[in-house]
Amino acid sequence: MGKIATWTRRGFIAAGGLVGGGLALGIAFAPNRLGIKGDDKALNTWVKITPDNRVTVLVPHCDMGQGSQTGLAMMLAEELDADWSLVGVQEAPALPAYANEYLVRGMLLGAAPPLILGRAVDDAVLGLTALMGLQITGGSASIRFTGELGMRTAGAAARAMLIQAAAARWGVSAGSCSAAQSMVRHAPSGRMLTFGAVAEDAALLPPPAAPALKPFAAWRIVGTSPPRFDVAAKVDGSARYAIDVVLPGMLYAAVAAAPVFGGKLLSVDSAAVEKMPGVHSVVRLDNAVAVLAAGYWQAQTALRALEPKFDDGGHGHVSSTEIDTAQSALLAKGAGSTDVKRGDAAAALAAAAHVVTADYAVPYLAHATLEPPNAVVHIVGDKCEIWTGVQDPLNARATAARAAGLPRENVTLHNCMVGGGFGRKIPDVMDFIEQAAKLGRAAAPRPVKLIWSREEDITHDYYRTAARARFQGGLNAHGQPVVWRADYTGEAGEQAAHLPYQIDNQLITGQKYANHVRTGAWRSVDHSQHGFFSESFVDELAAAAGKDAFQFRRDLLQAGSRQRAVLEMAAEKSGWGASLQAGCGRGIALTESFGSIVAEVAEVAVAPSGAVQVRRVTAVVDCGDLVHPDAATAQIEGGIMFGLAAALYGEITIENGAVTQRNFDTYRVARMVDAPAIAVYFIASHAPRGGIGEVGVPGIAPAIANAIHAACGVRMRKLPLRSVAMAAGPAPDQHASAL
Amino acid sequence: MAYDLAVNGQTHHVDADPATPLLWILREQLGLPGTKFGCGAGLCGACTVHLDGVATRSCQVPLGTVGTQQITTIEGLGTPAARHPVQKAWIDIQVPQCGYCQSGMIMAVAALLAHTAAPTDDQINTEITNICRCGTYPRVRRAIHALAQAGEATSHG
Ligand code: FES
Ligand code: FES
């Protein structure tokens, strides 16, 4: 029999015995009860301690290579006082509905949770782990929320129970015992027992209601960088992604959706194609056509031979030029809703000694995860199994159920390793799952693997919004900024447009611009455009004031603030101010996103041809305490490369309502040759833990643009930067002037 | 058409359209999914294998043109028990993030180091043109230099 303790009002701890001896302990809680913005969803955590003294942490997040599974297990092992060499992880499965859904509902409603732990205990473990899929990876949330609230508490609770069980066996008080390296010790008598030896006894105890967490001074696992659990399988081809799943009798599907978003399939003549070798069938979907065949290449070849007719949903006239014009017109109208209002911007602009204005623009961007969208679906009767790699398995399951016309509990989702997410594999953008489920219906009872071509991926993404901003900044007679006015359009920017700087008069407004082009979250979300906008314009103000770009920013940050410390360290580590060759320059940017503060300094060389080469990037990050410094460093490096690719090359354009780019030849991304030397430094501020996966992205575009200005005097106000000569032409938004 | 392919030291009998890209033969018919599909157009390198030791993008190699060339895939480069030095360096330096590009990246680097033991940064930039969307490039470079140094140490030591 297992037991559940209410762990304050925020959630509860459940514990029980494992078949074969051992302790299982779980935590479930609702983030919205903790005042964390988000859905009405539960997070939870499980740990198993088996008689062989091994610790298995069930992690409720997929790991896209951020090291979050390793990091989460470290947080649990820390509080447990486990021997790290005995710790392993398992990703929690997204199981079909189970008693647990009532558990979640009960918990969210504040009702007492039903006792689900009375049955075979592995059932109970599985039952609760099914909840885990409810949390998505994204928003840099994994380590912050699951780790702080779930893992640490679970580790501390299990530790307390193990100590209590050992103390009982020895007939001593729990207070006279301690734990270290997966052992409980009774110092006065010198007795020791492994966690594994007392796990079964511990499973009979009630979980503690308020387990005590260690102070950071006592940490010895968190803050080190053991090898990540996921790496070894990724070097020998044994890591399995959904695209690698093979089932007996499986068909392969290639799909082409209407080129213009919102378009529908009008007709397709499939007679000839159906006779092509290996072709099983041609399937017509509402807005797409697919070919099912014995092999993927056969499916693709047959698909290319089809000449489907789609309508354009009435959007065939839309082009990037039109979008630019529409967004500019919105800004000119100036009817945005107020995001920030401080002081009196209008009066301050009128009174300023010097006013600077500028327009900025960024294009749509694709995610282009290297593993293209794909899924395997197997429908037999009224049961459906699906294999895919997504950031939110339970949401994917719901999407598949809807598309297959089955109740959710009839759908089992196997989440696989994810070959890149960046926001493409989150809720609301799971069109490929929907397609796969429909094709699974058509193929039933045979399984089918849908793989999007790269062309399908680039042309049918949910893009980072195209956006524009218009700035007016005013300096007083001493060159100090007294007013900041920003109007932006695109998707809502909100917090992302806020400034870390102290400027007395601020007015920031936003206007939503929407059209038929599908947009979605893209690594760092709105910060990706607002970082570029704001940090470029701050640089313009510094230039107008005749001040050094670093000093100008520093003077606007409060003494002793985390922001100032980060900025100063970036200047120091990058050798800010030291002379560079002709044609080279440094640019700095300070951004704040997902609770982390990042300063980046880029050093660029601008060739006489106008080609831009980023040579060196220095990043300083304050994300609170670090769990796994090496994985965090890799995330910042990756974020910088992701942002750099977009800053230099990333551009999705629209012609006749459809995306122009097709593959990596036309949608250019970064390669080895583009990779600068990157140095990452952390400031361990012990502030609340911030995100790490996305926070390296926003600062790199402005740092590069500012460096280009320092190198050659050209101010780049439109991404991508690509080449300076090109953009220095008479583009209408290059008109910034000092009034 | 029937073919005998020499893959990872073994002969495999394959019957398929000669135009089928080697990538899909490896993945779908020979059960070697370590070689990845990223673009199908020779642009990303996720599908890189060795043909007689030369790094080659298998999505661009029609089955009918393979002939007797020795094919090595990531599965044949090394195993967990006997890892190739590049695989070891990849673990030491913790190169992979999502990992999807890494089979191709490792194959490309192994081929480069086989003919240029200590490549310069320029050589690396020219020879390694694989795409990694997770941005592991700085670590790829570090790992290559570490391998070059270790190679020097062994040959001089
Ligand atoms: S899949 Fe062959 S190069 Fe991209
Ligand atoms: S590690 Fe993800 S694409 Fe390279």
Side-chain angles (χ1 to χ4, degrees):
Chain A
M1 285 291 282
K3 302 196 170 52
I4 293 179
T6 306
W7 162 47
T8 69
R9 279 177 44 247
R10 313 188 292 184
F12 56 86
I13 302 173
L18 288 164
V19 175
L23 167 69
L25 185 139
I27 301 258
F29 53 91
N32 56 347
R33 285 221 176 160
L34 308 174
I36 296 167
K37 218 176 108 190
D39 298 342
D40 210 356
K41 290 180 171 180
L43 300 170
N44 83 6
T45 297
W46 267 99
V47 58
K48 294 195 290 187
I49 298 158
T50 39
D52 60 3
N53 208 21
R54 301 200 68 85
V55 175
T56 305
V57 182
L58 282 101
V59 182
H61 298 278
C62 73
D63 195 324
M64 296 176 295
Q66 324 94 311
S68 56
Q69 294 191 344
T70 310
L72 290 168
M74 288 167 72
M75 295 174 86
L76 188 141
E78 181 71 68
E79 297 292 347
L80 182 60
D81 277 320
D83 175 347
W84 179 249
S85 68
L86 299 173
V87 178
V89 290
Q90 223 174 292
E91 184 175 333
L95 291 172
Y98 207 70
N100 63 80
E101 296 212 341
Y102 298 99
L103 182 69
V104 175
R105 233 172 282 150
M107 191 180 72
L108 295 174
L109 295 172
L115 188 66
I116 60 145
L117 297 178
R119 309 208 303 145
V121 177
D122 267 331
D123 267 11
V125 174
L126 291 179
L128 267 190
T129 55
L131 305 184
M132 296 178 168
L134 288 166
Q135 167 61 13
I136 67 165
T137 301
S140 298
S142 311
I143 292 199
R144 294 161 70 190
F145 299 148
T146 314
E148 285 299 324
L149 301 171
M151 293 290 163
R152 292 187 64 193
T153 310
R159 176 181 178 275
M161 292 166 76
L162 292 161
I163 289 180
Q164 207 190 328
R169 199 178 291 179
W170 293 323
V172 301
S173 73
S176 64
C177 300
S178 62
Q181 292 291 102
S182 291
M183 307 265 272
V184 184
R185 274 159 232 271
H186 180 241
S189 64
R191 282 177 290 191
M192 295 201 283
L193 280 168
T194 65
F195 284 176
V198 292
E200 196 167 359
D201 291 3
L204 301 172
L205 299 169
L213 303 182
K214 281 185 185 175
F216 68 82
W219 290 349
R220 61 193 174 80
I221 296 174
V222 168
T224 64
S225 296
R228 279 163 35 213
F229 290 122
D230 60 310
V231 167
K234 291 174 177 173
V235 307
D236 59 18
S238 66
R240 286 290 170 266
Y241 303 81
I243 202 169
D244 303 328
V245 169
V246 176
L247 299 176
M250 187 171 78
L251 292 167
Y252 292 82
V255 71
V260 181
F261 306 109
K264 301 271 183 245
L265 178 67
L266 295 175
S267 66
V268 59
D269 178 0
S270 59
V273 162
E274 272 159 6
K275 292 193 202 85
M276 286 174 71
V279 171
H280 171 274
S281 55
V282 173
V283 182
R284 291 159 177 81
L285 302 174
D286 184 38
N287 63 350
V289 62
V291 177
L292 272 47
Y296 184 61
W297 184 74
Q298 289 170 321
Q300 262 197 327
T301 308
L303 183 72
R304 267 187 222 119
L306 283 176
E307 284 169 6
K309 304 225 175 347
F310 294 102
D311 71 21
D312 64 10
H315 306 298
H317 62 280
V318 179
S319 68
S320 283
T321 323
E322 184 187 303
I323 294 167
D324 281 355
T325 311
Q327 291 196 342
S328 298
L330 271 181
L331 291 183
K333 216 166 66 186
S337 57
T338 303
D339 189 347
V340 173
K341 186 170 163 51
R342 191 166 306 149
D344 184 340
L349 278 168
H354 193 53
V355 172
V356 183
T357 67
D359 277 14
Y360 282 82
V362 296
Y364 292 106
L365 294 173
H367 299 83
T369 60
L370 200 58
E371 179 187 21
N374 68 85
V376 176
V377 173
H378 192 195
I379 298 179
V380 179
D382 64 352
K383 293 272 189 292
C384 170
E385 271 190 284
I386 172 162
W387 288 256
T388 191
V390 290
Q391 292 164 259
D392 181 350
L394 282 201
N395 197 289
R397 181 169 73 107
T399 303
R402 222 177 302 121
L406 291 172
R408 256 191 307 169
E409 43 282 4
N410 291 20
V411 179
T412 302
L413 184 135
H414 308 270
N415 203 26
C416 304
M417 217 162 254
V418 185
F422 318 132
R424 181 63 181 95
K425 294 162 184 174
I426 60 171
D428 306 324
V429 298
M430 292 189 176
D431 50 348
F432 60 101
I433 307 268
E434 193 181 319
Q435 285 177 351
K438 289 181 176 160
L439 297 176
R441 265 258 169 268
R446 293 177 72 174
V448 62
K449 182 194 287 184
L450 169 66
I451 306 173
W452 277 22
S453 65
R454 179 57 59 194
E455 289 78 7
E456 193 65 13
D457 174 51
I458 301 277
T459 53
H460 293 84
D461 200 350
Y462 290 80
Y463 305 88
R464 198 288 305 278
T465 179
R468 285 183 98 80
R470 173 161 294 175
F471 288 99
Q472 290 176 281
L475 303 170
N476 65 17
H478 309 289
Q480 288 155 335
V482 289
V483 53
W484 175 277
R485 161 123 204 214
D487 301 282
Y488 59 81
T489 183
E491 291 289 319
E494 292 179 352
Q495 283 179 13
H498 297 184
L499 285 182
Y501 305 113
Q502 295 177 321
I503 297 176
D504 289 342
N505 302 287
Q506 295 186 28
L507 181 62
I508 303 178
T509 75
Q511 291 180 79
K512 194 167 169 78
Y513 168 83
N515 58 15
H516 76 299
V517 180
R518 314 191 306 187
T519 56
W522 185 94
R523 198 170 183 176
S524 84
V525 202
D526 294 319
H527 294 281
S528 67
Q529 67 266 23
H530 286 288
F532 171 66
F533 294 159
S534 302
E535 275 303 283
S536 295
F537 190 65
V538 169
D539 230 61
E540 293 209 50
L541 291 182
K547 292 192 184 161
D548 173 79
F550 156 65
Q551 283 299 339
F552 184 78
R553 286 173 172 81
R554 183 185 169 277
D555 294 347
L556 296 174
L557 296 167
Q558 210 176 339
S561 65
R562 293 167 70 198
Q563 288 80 356
R564 196 193 257 200
V566 166
L567 190 80
E568 284 175 344
M569 187 168 168
E572 178 210 323
K573 295 292 182 188
S574 63
W576 186 264
S579 67
L580 291 170
Q581 282 166 281
C584 295
R586 280 190 202 89
I588 194 165
L590 174 71
T591 57
E592 208 169 327
S593 58
F594 306 98
S596 296
I597 302 161
V598 180
E600 290 174 18
V601 175
E603 199 179 302
V604 309
V606 180
S609 67
V612 176
Q613 172 83 37
V614 183
R615 293 199 167 160
R616 187 179 304 280
V617 174
T618 307
V620 176
V621 181
D622 177 353
C623 55
D625 291 308
L626 285 173
V627 177
H628 189 299
D630 185 61
T633 302
Q635 282 304 297
I636 297 296
E637 291 167 354
I640 287 171
M641 286 310 308
F642 197 79
L644 180 148
L648 293 185
Y649 308 121
E651 184 170 35
I652 289 290
T653 52
I654 306 296
E655 282 315 320
N656 303 320
V659 168
T660 319
Q661 291 70 23
R662 311 274 307 157
N663 204 320
F664 289 122
D665 47 355
T666 41
Y667 188 70
R668 217 175 134 185
V669 296
R671 295 174 194 263
M672 208 71 204
V673 66
D674 301 304
I678 300 177
V680 181
Y681 303 89
F682 292 96
I683 293 179
S685 66
H686 302 306
R689 193 163 280 138
I692 197 76
E694 319 198 48
V695 305
V697 176
I700 189 63
I704 295 171
N706 295 341
I708 291 171
H709 182 258
C712 65
V714 177
R715 176 57 64 182
M716 306 287 286
R717 298 189 183 89
K718 189 173 185 174
L719 297 182
L721 304 167
R722 224 182 282 131
S723 148
V724 171
M726 254 177 63
D733 57 331
Q734 300 295 324
H735 67 247
S737 56
L739 302 174
Chain B
M1 290 271 289
Y3 299 90
D4 284 323
L5 293 185
V7 186
N8 299 333
Q10 284 186 344
T11 305
H12 294 265
H13 191 75
V14 170
D15 199 346
D17 185 329
T20 313
L22 177 60
L23 167 66
W24 299 109
I25 300 291
L26 294 169
R27 289 183 54 81
E28 294 177 2
Q29 302 207 14
L30 303 186
L32 295 169
T35 305
K36 296 294 191 252
F37 165 65
C39 70
L43 298 165
C44 77
C47 63
T48 305
V49 299
H50 295 173
L51 291 189
D52 284 343
V54 178
T56 308
R57 294 183 173 178
S58 63
C59 70
Q60 298 301 297
V61 179
L63 171 63
T65 68
V66 176
T68 57
Q69 295 177 91
Q70 295 290 321
I71 304 164
T72 309
T73 71
I74 186 73
E75 290 92 346
L77 188 71
T79 61
R83 286 191 178 111
H84 186 277
V86 174
Q87 294 171 316
K88 280 191 216 155
W90 249 237
I91 293 177
D92 286 350
I93 291 174
Q94 299 272 292
V95 174
Q97 288 190 29
C98 85
Y100 194 78
C101 72
Q102 298 296 341
S103 295
M105 193 69 92
I106 288 169
M107 294 309 282
V109 169
L112 165 65
L113 290 172
H115 65 73
T116 308
T120 62
D121 278 331
D122 280 347
Q123 284 172 317
I124 294 171
N125 292 344
T126 320
E127 298 263 339
I128 307 299
T129 55
N130 298 44
I131 290 173
C132 172
R133 286 294 283 151
C134 297
T136 61
Y137 303 118
R139 286 179 188 233
V140 170
R141 192 184 302 280
R142 241 167 79 198
I144 295 173
H145 287 316
L147 282 160
Q149 253 173 20
E152 250 173 34
T154 343
S155 56
H156 295 157

